Amino acid sequence: KGWMGENLYMYQGFWYGSTSAFSVQTTMAMQDSFKPLPTDIYLLTLPKSGTTWVKALMFATVNRTTYNHNSNTSVLTHPLFVSNPHNCVPFIEPEFVNKTPTYVQENPNPNPRLFSTHIPYTSLPRSILDSGCRLVYLCRNPKDVMVSWYYFSNKFTLKNLSPMTIDEMFEVFVKGTVPYGPYWDHVKEYYNASCEHPTKILFLTYEVMKKDTVNQVKRIAEFLGCPFSKEEETEGCVEEIMRLCSLEVLKEVNKDGEYSEGVPNAVFFREGKVGGWREDLTDEMSKTLDDITNEKFQDLGILF
Ligand code: A3P
């Protein structure tokens, strides 16, 4: 048992929950039959790393000529103004619940297609690795991920699961028994893969994204083959995208409604701070997490 007392299942070195959309079964089904297009773009993350935000930034960047930011009417009809970023950049996993993929497989447009997944590098369908598609990996400081998981868990109404205390959350996070955990292995695998295949995998951190959003958005655009022109930069296009995808705007747009049954849209938007863990973790918890991180990441150049 792990996160929220749920039965978790180990597959290829990582833990999976029993939610049908994000299960071992859907991962295996994807491994068996997922057919990417070489032009696809994937955002890869551990839950609570800022997936929702970077989905919005990537969607707005890639589709910026379709939804022109300089026209007020277009801005008002921008998909991010009317729906959750998770609907604009869908997870692949839920498509494989019934082994009859719908959107993902049958929607060759728009080009490029934007998708997301939490699946660890080890278990990514080979078809994705072997095709020409590009991958963006986003990671976040483990202490903020853990605290974000804690608040998310206690807003979760999908199942009749008992709320967690911060101590319980800490225990399962350290053990790695959270969906797609252990955290450190997930990050490390993608980090190493991004060093090995730098033109295929772009490695980002939430912390640098927050500190220098404009340059990171430009970096993403360049990596995805749609760099901002000088003219766009002068017109403030990047800043416009940044404002559209800000926590304040997305929170307001998503204050009502549900992403899926029992999962309110609002649950994906909280404080969005770097270092917010200070309000919730004891010194001892913080030290334990630092020690594990230093040990696991000692030979890597990840800076939070
Ligand atoms: P906090 O719980 O620390 O506030 P994910 O999208 O992977 O589930 O991650 C959720 C985290 O990203 C939450 O962190 C949430 O507040 C933060 N987040 C959501 N939208 C954001 C935005 N537009 N800008 C910055 N952070 C955002």
Side-chain angles (χ1 to χ4, degrees):
K1 294 213 183 236
W3 180 61
M4 296 187 83
E6 220 191 0
N7 282 330
L8 297 184
Y9 302 89
M10 168 71 78
Y11 179 60
Q12 299 183 329
F14 289 85
W15 291 105
Y16 288 78
S18 35
T19 312
S20 56
F22 295 94
S23 61
V24 173
Q25 283 77 10
T26 52
T27 304
M28 290 169 80
M30 279 172 62
Q31 288 176 326
D32 275 354
S33 57
F34 183 60
K35 291 188 195 69
L37 294 178
T39 46
D40 285 350
I41 294 167
Y42 297 86
L43 173 65
L44 311 150
T45 63
L46 270 171
K48 315 330 294 167
S49 301
T51 320
T52 318
W53 179 33
V54 176
K55 277 187 177 189
L57 288 171
M58 286 170 62
F59 181 85
T61 299
V62 167
N63 295 299
R64 65 185 185 271
T65 47
T66 311
Y67 308 109
N68 184 352
H69 294 97
N70 290 327
S71 136
N72 277 338
T73 42
S74 299
V75 168
L76 292 175
T77 54
H78 196 292
L80 288 168
F81 264 122
V82 288
S83 71
N84 190 323
H86 291 293
N87 297 326
C88 300
V89 180
F91 284 108
I92 315 172
E93 289 91 329
E95 292 290 316
F96 285 82
V97 170
N98 300 316
K99 296 199 171 169
T100 48
T102 51
Y103 178 84
V104 171
Q105 302 288 34
E106 289 170 12
N107 195 6
N109 292 310
N111 195 3
R113 307 184 305 177
L114 280 167
F115 298 122
S116 177
T117 176
H118 291 314
I119 291 177
Y121 185 71
T122 308
S123 306
L124 261 194
R126 284 253 37 117
S127 55
I128 293 183
L129 297 175
D130 293 343
S131 79
C133 42
R134 270 171 265 204
L135 316 179
V136 174
Y137 184 78
L138 173 74
C139 87
R140 187 182 189 191
N141 180 327
K143 296 193 270 192
D144 282 332
V145 170
M146 192 215 109
V147 169
S148 188
W149 255 125
Y150 165 68
Y151 284 102
F152 179 76
S153 308
N154 290 333
K155 284 190 218 149
F156 212 80
T157 55
L158 181 59
K159 294 182 188 167
N160 208 7
L161 300 169
S162 48
M164 298 186 82
T165 63
I166 192 87
D167 292 316
E168 286 165 342
M169 186 65 231
F170 175 74
E171 196 186 320
V172 296
F173 191 82
V174 166
K175 274 202 290 187
T177 50
V178 288
Y180 302 99
Y183 164 94
W184 295 274
D185 301 21
H186 199 284
V187 173
K188 198 168 171 172
E189 279 190 359
Y190 274 108
Y191 181 80
N192 286 335
S194 74
C195 295
E196 234 173 275
H197 310 286
T199 53
K200 171 122 185 130
I201 308 176
L202 177 68
F203 188 93
L204 303 171
T205 68
Y206 182 86
E207 290 70 23
V208 178
M209 292 287 307
K210 284 283 287 193
K211 199 169 161 193
D212 191 12
T213 314
V214 168
N215 280 315
Q216 293 299 302
V217 170
K218 286 191 205 166
R219 200 173 153 219
I220 293 173
E222 221 153 278
F223 177 77
L224 298 180
C226 54
F228 289 92
S229 65
K230 281 275 158 289
E231 197 186 359
E232 283 177 312
E233 286 189 21
T234 317
E235 283 171 357
C237 182
V238 190
E239 287 80 0
E240 197 57 56
I241 286 174
M242 198 176 121
R243 276 194 291 277
L244 168 68
C245 302
S246 67
L247 185 62
E248 296 66 38
V249 170
L250 296 184
K251 208 179 212 177
E252 178 62 25
V253 171
N254 290 280
K255 63 182 192 304
D256 303 315
E258 285 191 337
Y259 162 62
S260 61
E261 205 191 335
V263 184
N265 284 322
V267 86
F268 297 100
F269 309 91
R270 197 179 63 93
E271 284 190 337
K273 277 196 205 156
V274 171
W277 58 266
R278 286 188 179 81
E279 293 157 30
D280 297 280
L281 297 188
T282 62
D283 290 348
E284 201 183 342
M285 286 172 173
S286 164
K287 184 174 178 323
T288 304
L289 290 169
D290 283 345
D291 288 348
I292 303 172
T293 307
N294 290 337
E295 189 203 320
K296 300 265 186 188
F297 292 173
Q298 61 181 329
D299 49 341
L300 313 182
I302 307 176
L303 294 175
F304 292 115

